[in-house]
């Protein structure tokens, strides 16, 4: 009997302790796991948009039934493939990729399966999600689609507010200026120790020589006089291919290209003697880009390759220069070096080598623009056919060494 009471007493004590601990840890838990609001622009999608009156849906395909040129041009752009891109999909699937990756790649909420309302304990890997009733999977495939830039509050946002359109139009040129581009093309944030988001194209442009003269739109969406819908009067229009580096992806094999660099080979002496080196200099100037080249994604780089071949076509000397950034990602993300070329900057890339035998030699010069290294491609399990680089300058010279 006594024993039982004692047991009961112990039990009551034990239960009290347990309740105390549970309440305590609940309070700690509650404190730590408080839902925090989203604060950064790229943590928030553009709120669900309604289809403007007169249109069937928000899709680019539908806009394309009338705006045929705009649609065909946009189709070739990387914007159209910002979601379907194999590299993006591979990276997105990694556990280290937080929820907000999608906000610049499928920026409309209608393209997103869930609405994120906050972060548990402020942790970017613990978004609070609710199902999005307006989710449209077809629209998701279109990446940065027409509606991302042009649809707001039941209107088409345009530069003139034309009354000729079958859909409501709101004149808002300020919404369609370079700030729109910079909202995605300039983000510098260390998100986690091993994840840094570094696109500084906007800042590079602001400190460069083109600021106030040319902007993202004048260079990347050049003006053209044309009908924007067949049968309507010609007016000022803009190409929508968003030509950039021109390094294609699987589904943008016809990606239109811009070149930032001007290439100027210095004069060469093609006849030389054994005691003198074979000498050649390529002057490269970042002449046409309003920002550094490469810009944006830190994985981009440019190689200047030299190969000297003898008369048997054997490579006797190789030389390579790299223009780009180098990053360490583990244990903390840190930029190790950066020799991207500033706008207006020029550099000399020299080949200088003696040979040991007389004869004829061929010097091959090639400049290649790279999306990423072979290692990164393999790490992301991109198949061998995924385009990783393009050649932007090729020349060869025949030297006679006596
Ligand atoms: C049924 C045909 C049709 C469809 C579909 C259509 N548009 Fe239009 N749109 C027009 C016509 C017509 C004009 C006026 C042409 C003119 O002013 O020369 C126009 C004008 C515009 C303008 C210029 C507005 C301005 O301020 O000058 C924009 C931008 C635009 N449309 C975007 C879109 C987008 C984005 C979509 C799809 C979400 C779309 N349109 C769907 C026919 C269409
Ligand atoms: C990344 C943003 C972006 C996307 C995506 C985009 N546009 Fe535009 N669009 C613009 C900007 C910026 C302008 C205005 C340029 C100016 O007037 O300075 C414009 C202008 C237009 C105009 C007015 C005429 C002209 O060419 O200037 C039409 C029509 C138009 N866009 C249709 C479309 C259609 C259709 C799509 C999809 C197939 C599309 N846009 C995708 C940014 C975009
Ligand atoms: C909603 C975010 C967003 C907006 C707004 C946006 N971009 Fe982009 N842009 C991207 C993303 C993401 C990519 C890369 C897509 C990919 O590689 O899959 C890209 C790619 C590009 C490229 C191609 C880069 C290359 O590989 O060469 C150019 C050029 C470009 N954008 C210019 C512009 C211009 C000009 C504007 C403004 C009119 C603009 N962008 C607005 C997100 C955006
Ligand atoms: C004076 C013209 C000019 C201006 C202004 C300009 N760009 Fe560019 N941009 C270029 C050229 C040329 C290239 C191609 C560089 C190369 O790969 O050789 C380029 C390349 C790019 C790329 C691909 C970068 C890479 O390394 O592959 C992106 C993204 C881009 N521009 C976005 C922008 C944005 C955003 C702005 C506005 C802040 C802008 N550009 C302003 C001319 C310009
Ligand atoms: C602030 C907007 C923004 C956010 C957030 C963002 N991206 Fe991007 N992403 C871009 C832009 C802009 C480009 C094009 C860069 C360029 O070409 O210079 C791009 C390009 C890419 C590319 C193509 C790279 C290439 O070489 O063409 C991949 C892959 C990618 N992003 C993955 C991601 C992942 C994964 C996340 C989340 C960790 C993410 N992005 C978050 C804006 C963003």
């Amino acid at each position: 009997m006594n024993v039982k009471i004692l047991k009961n007493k112990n039990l009551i004590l034990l239960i009290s302790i347990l309740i105390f601990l549970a309440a305590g840890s609940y309070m700690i838990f509650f404190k730590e796991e408080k839902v925090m609001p989203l604060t950064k622009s790229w943590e928030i999608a553009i709120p669900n948009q309604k289809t403007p009156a007169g249109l069937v849906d928000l899709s680019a395909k539908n806009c394309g039934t009338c705006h045929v040129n705009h649609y065909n041009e946009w189709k070739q752009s990387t914007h159209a493939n910002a979601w379907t891109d194999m590299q993006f999909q591979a990276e997105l699937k990694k556990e280290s990729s937080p929820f907000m990756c999608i906000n610049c790649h499928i920026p409309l909420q209608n393209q997103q399966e869930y609405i994120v309302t906050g972060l548990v304990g402020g942790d970017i890997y613990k978004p609070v999600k609710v199902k999005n009733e307006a989710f449209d999977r077809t629209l998701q495939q279109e990446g940065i689609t027409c509606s991302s830039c042009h649809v707001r509050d039941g209107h088409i946002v345009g530069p003139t507010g034309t009354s000729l359109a079958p859909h409501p139009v709101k004149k808002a040129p300020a919404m369609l200026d370079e700030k729109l581009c910079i909202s995605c093309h300039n983000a510098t944030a260390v998100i986690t120790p091993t994840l840094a988001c570094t696109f500084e194209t906007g800042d590079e442009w602001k400190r460069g020589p083109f600021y106030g003269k040319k902007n993202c739109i004048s260079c990347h969406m050049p003006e053209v006089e044309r009908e924007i819908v067949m049968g309507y009067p010609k007016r000022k229009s803009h190409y929508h291919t968003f030509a950039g580096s021109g390094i294609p992806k699987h589904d943008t094999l016809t990606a239109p290209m811009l070149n930032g660099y001007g290439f100027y080979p210095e004069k060469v002496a093609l006849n030389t003697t054994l005691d003198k080196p074979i000498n050649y200099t390529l002057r490269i100037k970042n002449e046409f880009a309003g920002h550094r080249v490469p810009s944006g994604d830190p994985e981009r780089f440019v190689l200047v390759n030299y190969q000297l071949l003898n008369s048997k076509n054997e490579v006797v000397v190789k030389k390579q220069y790299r223009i780009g950034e180098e990053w360490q990602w583990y244990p903390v993300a840190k930029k190790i070096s950066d020799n991207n070329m500033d706008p207006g900057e020029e550099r000399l890339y020299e080949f200088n080598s003696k040979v040991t035998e007389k004869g004829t030699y061929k010097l091959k010069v090639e400049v290649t623009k790279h999306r990423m290294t072979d290692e990164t491609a393999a790490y992301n399990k991109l198949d061998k056919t995924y385009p990783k680089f393009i050649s932007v300058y090729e020349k060869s010279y025949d030297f006679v060494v006596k």
Side-chain angles (χ1 to χ4, degrees), residues 140-191:
Q140 183 182 57
Q141 304 305 308
E142 293 184 345
I144 301 158
T145 183
C146 317
S147 298
S148 338
C149 298
H150 286 294
V151 175
R152 294 295 182 277
D153 305 325
H155 287 78
I156 295 286
V157 177
T160 71
T162 176
S163 58
L164 300 175
H167 45 65
V169 180
K170 200 182 258 168
K171 179 176 175 174
M175 222 204 88
L176 292 172
D177 69 8
E178 71 279 353
K179 287 192 291 300
L180 170 70
C181 319
I182 292 172
S183 70
C184 296
H185 285 271
N186 204 84
T188 47
V190 173
I191 295 167

Side-chain angles (χ1 to χ4, degrees), residues 178 181-182 184-186 199-206 210-211 213-220 243-247 257-261 286-297 300-302 369-371 392:
E178 71 279 353
C181 319
I182 292 172
C184 296
H185 285 271
N186 204 84
F199 303 106
E200 294 171 78
T201 310
D203 290 341
E204 293 167 9
W205 168 69
K206 282 181 188 157
F210 288 97
Y211 184 69
K213 296 183 187 124
K214 285 193 152 214
N215 64 19
C216 318
I217 293 165
S218 45
C219 287
H220 289 283
S245 68
I247 311 164
M257 172 167 64
L258 288 180
N259 257 322
Y261 296 154
N286 180 3
E287 203 168 353
F288 311 110
H291 37 73
R292 307 181 86 197
V293 177
S295 182
D297 192 304
R300 300 284 174 89
F301 61 96
V302 172
K369 239 179 348 195
H370 298 250
R371 182 176 290 293
V392 286

Side-chain angles (χ1 to χ4, degrees), residues 357-402:
E357 281 173 43
K358 292 179 182 175
T360 58
Y361 291 86
K362 188 184 280 299
L363 179 69
K364 284 192 175 171
V365 187
E366 188 180 19
V367 181
T368 46
K369 239 179 348 195
H370 298 250
R371 182 176 290 293
M372 62 188 134
T373 59
D374 289 343
E375 293 77 57
T376 308
Y379 181 69
N380 284 316
K381 300 194 175 64
L382 300 180
D383 71 59
K384 294 224 160 47
T385 61
Y386 193 89
K388 289 186 279 295
F389 71 92
I390 51 170
S391 187
V392 286
Y393 183 79
E394 264 177 285
K395 267 236 142 81
S396 73
Y397 297 88
D398 293 316
F399 286 87
V400 179
V401 182
K402 285 188 181 138

Side-chain angles (χ1 to χ4, degrees), residues 67 70-71 74 144-146 149-150 159 176 221 237-238 240 242:
H67 301 290
H70 288 78
Y71 178 73
W74 165 84
I144 301 158
T145 183
C146 317
C149 298
H150 286 294
L176 292 172
M221 301 182 74
S237 177
H238 296 83
H240 271 59
F242 303 95

